[in-house]
Amino acid sequence: MKHWDQFLGPYKQAVEELKVKLKGMRSQFEFVPDHSPIEFVTGRVKPIASILDKANEKGIPLDKLEFEMQDIAGIRMMCQFVDDIMKVVELLRMRNDFEIVEERDYISHKKASGYRSYHVVISYPVQTIKGEKKILAEIQIRTLAMNFWATVEHSLNYKYKGQFPEDIQMRLQRAAEAAFRLDEEMSLIKGEIQEAQAFFSRNKEMQQKNKS
């Protein structure tokens, strides 16, 4: 494909706009007594080499990329606790600045590899000098433990090109279950954790006030 910069421009714009908007959701929880289900937000545009690899793997013609590849623009929303994930999904469903076109629940229905995450595919309108352009973007919502596992698995997948040695595959599956058990244990003491975090924040604010 020629003119990659021109093709990827709207995706880069979408990622930057969505990061601002979704980080704004998190900041709004600072003014309410409720716990923020959003820990932090990151985003990226898929590298050209990765786009080509996936297009080849999935049999997607290059002239169909914008219609058939959903994750060229990718956003990740991190949560502390598993039950925060659906709270974030509900917040996304309430928004009217994009349209949700697909949801995939890999938490209730994990992948064979052990991968867990919740994917929301959206159609996002980007305003360009040639008018509005709707692009597909994928929002992944997961806990910090799920993200750690997924990041490691992604690196190993790149190294082995999806053909994991049996012992590596077995250890990854064990690690995925260990990460999920960690999430479950943390959920059981969620109240204690949130109380400790609130106590820490109040003390920090008092110290800053005393200094000033």
Side-chain angles (χ1 to χ4, degrees), residues 3 5 13 33 35 38 49-51 57-58 67 75-76 86 103 108 117-118 127 132 146 162-163 175 189 200:
H3 311 302
D5 288 342
Q13 182 177 332
H35 153 77
I38 305 167
S50 297
I51 293 173
E57 178 188 347
K58 302 291 185 181
F67 308 108
I75 299 290
R76 287 181 187 163
M86 289 312 300
E103 295 184 26
S108 300
S117 187
Y118 198 100
Q127 305 304 319
E132 182 176 279
M146 291 174 191
Q163 302 299 316
I189 56 171
F200 176 79

Side-chain angles (χ1 to χ4, degrees), residues 74-92:
I75 299 290
R76 287 181 187 163
M77 302 181 72
M78 307 302 173
C79 305
Q80 278 192 317
F81 305 102
V82 176
D83 59 359
D84 286 338
I85 293 173
M86 289 312 300
K87 293 177 184 176
V88 172
V89 173
E90 289 298 330
L91 290 171
L92 295 177

Side-chain angles (χ1 to χ4, degrees), residues 4-18:
W4 276 107
D5 288 342
Q6 182 178 344
F7 174 73
L8 293 177
Y11 291 93
K12 294 176 181 178
Q13 182 177 332
V15 167
E16 293 308 310
E17 291 179 9
L18 285 165

Side-chain angles (χ1 to χ4, degrees), residues 2-207:
K2 298 178 181 179
H3 311 302
W4 276 107
D5 288 342
Q6 182 178 344
F7 174 73
L8 293 177
Y11 291 93
K12 294 176 181 178
Q13 182 177 332
V15 167
E16 293 308 310
E17 291 179 9
L18 285 165
K19 284 196 297 183
V20 170
K21 290 179 176 183
L22 300 179
K23 287 177 181 179
M25 285 171 55
R26 183 188 188 283
S27 65
Q28 291 174 39
F29 280 92
E30 296 175 7
F31 306 104
V32 296
D34 296 336
H35 153 77
S36 171
I38 305 167
E39 186 70 8
F40 62 89
V41 178
T42 64
R44 63 96 185 99
V45 173
K46 188 184 285 291
I48 295 171
S50 297
I51 293 173
L52 293 173
D53 285 345
K54 185 168 185 177
N56 183 58
E57 178 188 347
K58 302 291 185 181
I60 301 173
L62 294 185
D63 60 350
K64 301 289 186 183
L65 284 177
E66 64 180 305
F67 308 108
E68 297 186 23
M69 192 172 291
Q70 300 175 329
D71 63 343
I72 294 176
I75 299 290
R76 287 181 187 163
M77 302 181 72
M78 307 302 173
C79 305
Q80 278 192 317
F81 305 102
V82 176
D83 59 359
D84 286 338
I85 293 173
M86 289 312 300
K87 293 177 184 176
V88 172
V89 173
E90 289 298 330
L91 290 171
L92 295 177
R93 289 171 180 164
M94 291 168 57
R95 298 188 69 95
N96 59 14
D97 51 346
F98 53 72
E99 177 189 0
I100 293 177
V101 297
E102 187 177 349
E103 295 184 26
R104 296 194 296 275
D105 183 357
Y106 296 122
I107 297 173
S108 300
H109 309 283
K110 67 177 180 179
K111 290 187 177 182
S113 63
Y115 176 87
R116 286 182 171 93
S117 187
Y118 198 100
H119 293 192
V120 176
V121 179
I122 65 171
S123 174
Y124 181 76
V126 174
Q127 305 304 319
T128 76
I129 58 173
K130 295 183 179 180
E132 182 176 279
K133 180 179 177 63
K134 290 187 177 180
I135 67 165
L136 293 174
E138 184 180 75
I139 303 174
Q140 299 176 350
I141 308 108
R142 56 177 63 153
T143 64
L144 299 169
M146 291 174 191
N147 188 62
F148 172 69
W149 183 92
T151 301
V152 171
E153 193 267 353
H154 180 77
S155 299
L156 289 171
N157 191 57
Y158 184 80
K159 176 181 178 181
Y160 291 108
K161 300 188 183 302
Q163 302 299 316
F164 292 116
E166 187 175 342
D167 63 325
I168 296 292
Q169 188 171 11
M170 181 179 64
R171 290 183 186 278
L172 274 173
Q173 290 172 341
R174 287 178 181 173
E177 292 310 306
F180 193 65
R181 287 197 301 273
L182 172 63
D183 278 333
E184 289 181 322
E185 290 297 325
M186 289 300 178
S187 293
L188 294 175
I189 56 171
K190 178 178 178 178
E192 293 286 340
I193 294 171
Q194 291 175 345
E195 186 178 326
Q197 290 172 337
F199 178 77
F200 176 79
S201 295
R202 287 195 300 270
N203 276 2
K204 192 172 182 180
E205 287 175 7
M206 288 178 61
Q207 290 173 1

